[in-house]
Amino acid sequence: MAGRWSFALADAIKDEKMRVEEDDTTATIRDAFPKARHHYLVMAKPVQPRGVGRLERADCALVEHMLRRGEELAERLQSKEPGVKFHFGFHAIPSMTHLHMHMVSEDFDSPSLKNKKHWNSFTTEFFLDAECVIEMLKQHGRVQVDKRHYEDVLKQDLTCPRCKIVRPNLPRMKEHYKSCKADGRHL
């Protein structure tokens, strides 16, 4: 069974210092361990202990609303910091039990980004784009998550999502990524 920490989002949603905004169906908080300069979690309200693999077609409107809330916050942040780009998505196998969507800037410049698992959870197919999740729900009524496959993805080599170069360790990957000018799609 998962440790108590995997339920921590239920407490974080109540913390006024963490909470950025909320409405009737979502709350957006700052990630306690951000993996980029901007890293937020848009969470479903009330607390829903399930991951993306347990979503159903009926949840499509909720996921669309979560994405819309993230995009609205991104626009406000971009008005203050032009040029910052965001990605919106879900981890295929979330480490936290509460349904949440990540809103993360693509700089991946953070001391909390410490290991290969962190890197691969945001820069590979393990990070399921929110728009793709919505399409899967509309077309298939669910999101197919092959747990073994995605566990293997987290173990893949450290690869730049822009130019696909491989680096042997995270410090070298971060150094490369800061200066990579390739315009390859992030994911």
Side-chain angles (χ1 to χ4, degrees):
M1 181 164 173
R4 173 75 179 119
W5 66 270
S6 69
F7 295 91
L9 292 181
D11 296 330
I13 203 170
K14 300 171 194 167
D15 185 343
E16 291 183 23
K17 294 175 189 165
M18 298 287 290
R19 194 173 53 238
V20 176
E21 60 188 20
E22 68 180 316
D23 62 19
D24 292 341
T25 56
T26 65
T28 302
I29 65 167
R30 289 173 183 83
D31 193 294
F33 303 98
K35 304 304 184 276
R37 285 185 215 139
H38 299 281
H39 190 174
Y40 300 89
L41 304 177
V42 181
M43 300 182 301
K45 286 175 38 185
V47 171
Q48 296 187 23
R50 61 187 172 143
V52 70
R54 296 186 60 200
L55 293 174
E56 301 171 350
R57 183 174 275 115
D59 297 309
C60 193
L62 171 62
V63 176
E64 288 174 327
H65 183 70
M66 292 170 77
L67 176 57
R68 195 166 40 255
R69 295 295 293 173
E71 289 173 336
E72 290 166 358
L73 177 57
E75 284 181 24
R76 289 193 302 277
L77 294 169
Q78 289 166 328
S79 72
K80 297 174 187 172
E81 194 176 329
V84 67
K85 295 178 184 175
F86 289 94
H87 297 282
F88 307 90
F90 299 84
H91 285 155
I93 306 168
S95 58
M96 307 296 275
T97 59
H98 187 97
L99 180 62
H100 62 285
M101 179 192 73
H102 291 268
M103 173 186 156
V104 61
S105 56
E106 71 171 26
D107 55 84
F108 299 114
D109 182 14
S110 170
S112 296
L113 182 63
K114 297 179 178 183
N115 58 50
K116 183 195 302 194
K117 183 178 178 183
H118 291 163
W119 180 264
N120 285 344
S121 68
F122 288 97
T123 63
T124 66
E125 64 185 281
F126 187 89
F127 190 76
L128 303 174
D129 181 82
E131 290 181 357
C132 292
V133 167
I134 291 166
E135 279 306 307
M136 286 184 253
L137 292 173
K138 286 179 178 178
Q139 290 182 9
H140 308 291
R142 65 190 181 103
V143 178
Q144 181 68 38
V145 175
D146 179 340
K147 189 173 179 178
R148 185 173 298 160
H149 169 73
Y150 286 113
E151 287 171 346
D152 288 343
V153 168
L154 290 178
K155 298 173 187 171
Q156 291 176 355
D157 290 337
L158 291 165
T159 305
C160 176
R162 294 177 179 153
C163 71
K164 305 305 179 205
I165 194 168
V166 174
R167 291 291 184 245
N169 56 51
L170 193 57
R172 295 218 14 226
M173 177 52 71
K174 284 177 153 184
E175 181 183 326
H176 162 78
Y177 190 75
K178 275 184 188 178
S179 62
C180 183
K181 302 293 185 219
D183 62 0
R185 185 160 189 274
H186 170 74
L187 295 171

